[in-house]
Amino acid sequence: MPQISLSRRLRRTPFSDGVEAAGVKAYTVYNRMLLPTVFENVEADYRHLKSHVQVWDVSCERQVELRGPDAGRLMQMLTPRDLRGMLPGQCFYVPIVDETGGMLNDPVAVKLSDDRWWISIADSDLLFWVKGVANGYRLDVLVDEPDVSPLAVQGPKAEDLMVRVFGDRVRDIRFFKFDMFEFEGRDLAVARSGYSKQGGFEIYLEGTEIGMPLWNALFAAGEDLQVRAGCPNLIERIEGGLLSYGNDMTDDNTPHECGLGKFCNTHTAIGCIGRDALLRVAKEGPVQQIRPIAIEGDAVPPCDRPWSVFAGGRRVGQVTSAAWSPDFGTNVSIGMLRLSHWEAGTIVEVETPDGMRRATVQERFWI
């Protein structure tokens, strides 16, 4: 299989030495950085994540920082989610849209204070869009990419491990909230969040000097918890319906098509750039939408390009992420289906690389 040639254009992270020492077997490129994708193998990594605790180098979740008197106004211009009730110390999942209502990103917004925000982005050049909006509207705000590298601790034993490193106060952090904790003289934002359904935390490391000391401290404290290096797991994220920007959705899709309508308060999100377009979408309803689809047969091959979905010989959508699920005994997948075929129980056919497969639209994701 072809390999990626590494260079300075693919940036290393404060934790790269630890990732390599842990025996990483595969990477992908994400925001021009290396994101681990496999350590032992996808299924073994999946089983360990569901049973124990893993430390993930997710430094590729770059931050777009908004700082200044107009930071809050700019943040609201970017998203149809109403942010007026958001307080410092909270994290919100926020669809980011353009003037047509198309999805530009699906990040987590972190409100540090009224005049300072981080946008923890998925894989895209969102920084340039935000800079353009700020400059075009002549807002009093500085937009840049700070030296912040998230480290995730995920799995059912994540809280126990975090308490050993940061103290019992970690237990008081509620879901999608954060607090500040000291490590080797640095104050770090620690949030109860992460790209898995197993529960856990994300540590926002500012600066690089204490990256490996933090990594090593987590592993030293978690030896009896069977802590391992890990990464976002393909099987687990599909089971849980965690979408991947650039795979399952692009700027051709609206939040409503992506099943993210509950995060759009379009009527009250005054100032959102895509508000007028989304008001029309909300009124008329989407004509296609993301759905969980169970694909029959043996394990499907890797889904590195969209697989067409057919019904009655007519194309009715596509599958964009798929994997064999050991726990559910089927191929789990994420697809975008037309209104006429997205109801639960609908039988369709998926054109996989090894032939047509019968599949069934599910009522909900698996976990």
Side-chain angles (χ1 to χ4, degrees):
M1 185 174 179
Q3 295 183 342
I4 295 174
S5 297
L6 303 184
S7 73
R8 288 183 61 199
R9 286 181 288 109
L10 295 179
R11 297 176 289 176
R12 291 175 63 83
T13 82
F15 315 108
S16 289
D17 289 345
V19 167
E20 291 165 2
V24 63
K25 291 183 178 176
Y27 289 107
T28 189
V29 178
Y30 197 102
N31 283 325
R32 291 182 286 279
M33 298 189 82
L34 295 172
L35 171 64
T37 56
V38 179
F39 281 86
E40 185 176 350
N41 59 63
V42 174
E43 191 167 320
D45 293 350
Y46 159 89
R47 180 62 57 220
H48 181 268
L49 171 62
K50 283 191 162 187
S51 303
H52 302 292
V53 58
Q54 296 180 352
V55 179
W56 297 358
D57 177 4
V58 286
S59 303
C60 62
E61 294 175 0
R62 305 311 295 164
Q63 308 304 301
V64 175
E65 182 169 286
L66 317 181
R67 190 166 68 251
D70 287 335
R73 179 187 172 194
L74 174 57
M75 189 68 238
Q76 186 63 83
M77 293 175 72
L78 301 174
T79 180
R81 184 165 185 178
D82 191 339
L83 304 178
R84 288 179 299 175
M86 187 177 181
L87 301 173
Q90 288 186 298
C91 309
F92 274 17
Y93 181 68
V94 289
I96 302 287
V97 299
D98 64 13
E99 74 283 0
T100 70
M103 292 277 295
L104 293 178
N105 209 277
D106 67 327
V108 172
V110 180
K111 187 172 183 179
L112 299 164
S113 65
D114 288 338
D115 60 359
R116 190 181 180 210
W117 299 66
W118 286 338
I119 309 173
S120 190
I121 66 171
D123 186 23
S124 81
D125 291 317
L126 189 68
L127 175 66
F128 301 134
W129 169 261
V130 180
K131 279 182 172 287
V133 171
N135 185 63
Y137 282 86
R138 299 184 180 277
L139 300 181
D140 186 5
V141 60
L142 175 66
V143 178
D144 65 4
E145 180 184 307
D147 185 13
V148 174
S149 301
L151 186 68
V153 180
Q154 301 288 297
K157 301 176 184 176
E159 184 173 270
D160 291 338
L161 176 54
M162 290 291 287
V163 164
R164 294 180 185 185
V165 176
F166 293 101
D168 281 332
R169 191 162 56 89
V170 163
R171 300 190 193 277
D172 298 331
I173 305 174
R174 296 173 63 189
F175 185 59
F176 259 55
K177 288 186 169 58
F178 72 91
D179 205 345
M180 304 303 294
F181 292 82
E182 189 270 339
F183 180 82
E184 292 199 355
R186 298 279 188 89
D187 286 331
L188 306 179
V190 175
R192 191 181 287 269
S193 58
Y195 197 55
S196 86
K197 291 287 189 172
Q198 306 310 309
F201 300 83
E202 290 178 298
I203 307 164
Y204 291 82
L205 174 72
E206 290 193 72
T208 61
E209 300 83 2
I210 62 170
M212 283 310 300
L214 175 59
W215 177 278
N216 291 333
L218 288 163
F219 278 86
E223 187 174 352
D224 63 319
L225 299 176
Q226 299 187 50
V227 63
R228 288 188 195 170
C231 52
N233 184 270
L234 176 67
I235 306 169
E236 196 268 350
R237 84 158 180 88
I238 297 173
E239 288 177 351
L242 297 176
L243 306 183
S244 171
Y245 185 80
N247 285 316
D248 304 314
M249 54 188 169
T250 70
D251 57 2
D252 290 329
N253 305 119
T254 68
H256 298 82
E257 291 178 343
C258 302
L260 303 178
K262 63 183 178 181
F263 299 108
C264 297
N265 316 107
T266 314
H267 287 281
T268 57
I270 306 301
C272 172
I273 287 174
R275 182 170 180 262
D276 290 345
L278 288 179
L279 283 171
R280 291 192 296 272
V281 171
K283 181 179 179 181
E284 298 168 4
V287 298
Q288 60 178 357
Q289 199 165 68
I290 280 178
R291 282 292 187 269
I293 303 171
I295 303 174
E296 296 180 6
D298 296 334
V300 292
C303 182
D304 62 353
R305 63 204 67 186
W307 297 344
S308 293
V309 178
F310 295 92
R314 185 166 60 95
R315 190 177 186 277
V316 296
Q318 63 182 19
V319 164
T320 49
S321 296
W324 172 259
S325 167
D327 281 1
F328 294 95
T330 189
N331 292 291
V332 294
S333 74
I334 297 172
M336 184 77 75
L337 296 176
R338 292 181 186 171
L339 170 64
S340 56
H341 290 79
W342 76 32
E343 287 297 322
T346 302
I347 304 299
V348 294
E349 287 189 301
V350 179
E351 188 176 20
T352 73
D354 58 3
M356 298 295 287
R357 298 282 193 97
R358 177 184 164 97
T360 305
V361 182
Q362 304 297 291
E363 182 176 355
R364 61 180 63 87
F365 284 96
W366 290 265
I367 55 174

